[in-house]
Amino acid sequence: MEEQRRRISSVPDFAEVEKERNRLKRRKEYGNALRGTCFSLLAVAAIAVLAATLFLPVLQVTGTSMEPTLYDGDIIVLTKKSSINRGDLCGFYYQNKLLLKRVIGLPGDWIDIKEDGTVLVNDEEIDEPYVSGKSLGECDLTFPYQVPDNRYFVMGDHRSTSIDSRSSVIGSIEKDQITGKILLRIWPLKHISLVH
């Protein structure tokens, strides 16, 4: 009889059963919500990485070849555009490295660089307020030089240190090498600006 009483007293009543059911239900709902949130965050992160890689790559500048326009450590955003114009700053791949330079000559243009570093495109001197100082720099081309079809003549803004299309090491770059145009400097914060 005593044993029967113990069994009866260990059986939960209706309120305890209901409370336990509610606890298990909340636990299951919490688990579902947590899984849904994690899935949503992963999907958003994947889309953001894909968008940044395909449409707006973010890069950090290394080196001084683009000073005073861009400085070592600046963080910039590129935009993928098919049209490239004279004066555009662009990023392009060369031997598995992404280089940043300014487009000086388009396909078919005649480029001439004088001993003092003055640049002429199609026999007209170009205005270059972005250059830190005119210099012939590292140059082994014979001028005047005609830019081949489907290629671009690029130069860094720091002419004395930049290795660019003036050197046969890099030469004129193919359109397929160009990753995109430099659109925006986002770091350092005090220098956030569109880049020209």
Side-chain angles (χ1 to χ4, degrees), residues 7-59:
R7 277 194 217 148
I8 292 174
S9 65
S10 67
V11 174
D13 65 4
F14 181 76
E16 291 174 330
V17 170
E18 193 62 31
K19 183 178 176 184
E20 182 64 16
R21 285 183 67 216
N22 287 337
R23 188 186 71 79
L24 292 173
K25 183 179 174 185
R26 280 193 309 273
R27 185 174 170 186
K28 184 177 179 181
E29 288 171 353
Y30 175 77
N32 289 340
L34 184 62
R35 277 190 294 279
T37 302
C38 289
F39 177 76
S40 297
L41 289 174
L42 285 173
V44 167
I47 290 169
V49 167
L50 187 61
T53 304
L54 295 177
F55 305 111
L56 293 170
V58 177
L59 306 168

Side-chain angles (χ1 to χ4, degrees), residues 173-184:
I173 60 168
E174 294 181 22
K175 188 173 185 175
D176 293 346
Q177 289 175 268
I178 298 175
T179 306
K181 294 182 192 180
I182 299 172
L183 174 68
L184 183 68

Side-chain angles (χ1 to χ4, degrees), residues 54 57 59 78-86 88-94 97-107 150-154 165 172-182:
L54 295 177
L59 306 168
L78 268 67
T79 179
K80 304 271 187 165
K81 291 200 175 176
S82 58
S83 66
I84 304 294
N85 301 308
R86 192 176 294 112
D88 287 345
L89 292 170
C90 67
F92 64 93
Y93 279 104
Y94 173 75
K97 291 182 185 173
L98 190 63
L99 302 180
L100 305 172
K101 304 292 177 194
R102 186 177 300 275
V103 175
I104 301 298
L106 304 175
N150 203 36
R151 290 184 172 266
Y152 295 85
F153 194 89
V154 296
S165 292
S172 295
I173 60 168
E174 294 181 22
K175 188 173 185 175
D176 293 346
Q177 289 175 268
I178 298 175
T179 306
K181 294 182 192 180
I182 299 172

Side-chain angles (χ1 to χ4, degrees), residues 137-150:
E138 187 172 320
C139 181
D140 62 1
L141 291 181
T142 304
F143 292 106
Y145 171 83
Q146 186 174 28
V147 183
D149 288 342
N150 203 36

